[in-house]
Amino acid sequence: TTGVTVQAGAALSLAVATGAYFGTQPLTLNGNGSTAGQNGALVNVIGSNTYAGDLVLGSSATISVDADALDMTGSSVTGTGTLTLTGNGTGSISAGLTHTGGLSKTGAGTWTLTGTGGTNSGVLSISAGTLNLAGGAIGSASGTTLAGGVLNLTAGGQSLGNLTIPASARTLVTVAGGSALSSGSTITRGVGGTVAFDIAAVGSSLPSTATGSGSNNLLGYVQVTDATGTGVGHVSGGNIVRFDSTTATVLTDSTNNAATDYTTLGMAS
């Protein structure tokens, strides 16, 4: 045969309790498997399984690891559409993503992308679970929605583009030592949305062209943990960092200027 195609509404289920190797046939996916009563067009139902064929998106498609583990070890991810990675288990993709469209991480499980040479430049969205992302596994995202869960940059550099933080969402973002996770000039935030950045590892950084509030460029909805401590985030020297006295602008006594960060009434001089 010349490959396997899963049409929209259908599903390919992998269910070998002892684990199995499912060969190298190219796999074209469409849809989310809902008509078949499944959680994805490709579903790992049980067992620690491996699929080594190249992955093609015929349209937007979902891969779900309902349980246990699925390793996608093919050499390419191509096609058109949004790729959604979900499930309660553990999944991995070893190829760089070069498809045209977005990448979405949902579900409570963990997905790990380790590829290189990725050129995908769609919107990245994380709403639940954990996404472990190596720099180079995707291209520069056109924008990123941090709607919950955990994003770990495991190595290298990655651009997230402009950030969107939905209302009431809380996302944890960690950056490995010697790695840089950059973001754009615009941060769009809903009421109550927060992000906690962890740059405690040596040499990790958060380059950004955004600006914060007032003279200290504060990001009141951002928490930053570095090697010294945890505090509110602000933009300083082109990076999102922890706000402390070494980079602060002295507040003026008895001011209510909108260009500063706080109203200061009757400060002790």
Side-chain angles (χ1 to χ4, degrees):
T1 62
T2 58
V4 177
T5 297
V6 179
Q7 300 291 355
L12 174 62
S13 297
L14 310 181
V16 179
T18 56
Y21 175 79
F22 282 88
T24 60
Q25 289 294 324
L27 177 62
T28 300
L29 298 179
N30 298 274
N32 59 14
S34 59
T35 303
Q38 297 295 321
N39 294 316
L42 174 64
V43 181
N44 197 88
V45 177
I46 191 172
S48 295
N49 300 302
T50 300
Y51 198 103
D54 293 342
L55 177 62
V56 180
L57 297 182
S59 60
S60 292
T62 299
I63 303 175
S64 178
V65 183
D66 288 358
D68 298 323
L70 173 62
D71 294 325
M72 305 286 293
T73 61
S75 61
S76 65
V77 179
T78 60
T80 301
T82 295
L83 174 61
T84 298
L85 305 175
T86 192
N88 294 319
T90 301
S92 68
I93 298 176
S94 59
L97 274 57
T98 60
H99 70 286
T100 300
L103 174 65
S104 177
K105 169 65 181 75
T106 66
T110 297
W111 275 87
T112 300
L113 307 185
T114 60
T116 58
T119 60
N120 175 265
S121 59
V123 173
L124 174 63
S125 176
I126 300 140
S127 61
T130 299
L131 177 63
N132 298 320
L133 180 65
I138 64 175
S140 297
S142 59
T144 297
T145 298
L146 300 174
V150 178
L151 171 62
N152 295 322
L153 179 63
T154 58
Q158 177 63 48
S159 174
L160 299 180
N162 292 330
L163 301 181
T164 299
I165 306 168
S168 302
R170 178 170 174 80
T171 307
L172 172 63
V173 179
T174 66
V175 182
S179 301
L181 187 64
S182 61
S183 56
S185 60
T186 301
I187 301 176
T188 303
R189 172 186 174 257
V191 175
T194 60
V195 177
F197 289 108
D198 187 333
I199 50 171
V202 175
S204 59
S205 62
L206 296 165
S208 178
T209 56
T211 56
S213 170
S215 55
N216 286 311
N217 273 322
L218 287 176
L219 301 170
Y221 47 88
V222 169
Q223 174 183 291
V224 176
T225 297
D226 59 21
T228 302
T230 298
V232 69
H234 79 139
V235 181
S236 177
N239 289 272
I240 297 174
V241 296
R242 181 175 61 87
F243 180 63
D244 64 21
S245 61
T246 64
T247 56
T249 298
V250 176
L251 302 179
T252 303
D253 184 24
S254 298
T255 181
N256 193 26
N257 189 327
T260 59
D261 302 306
Y262 303 101
T263 296
T264 57
L265 178 60
M267 290 173 58
S269 58

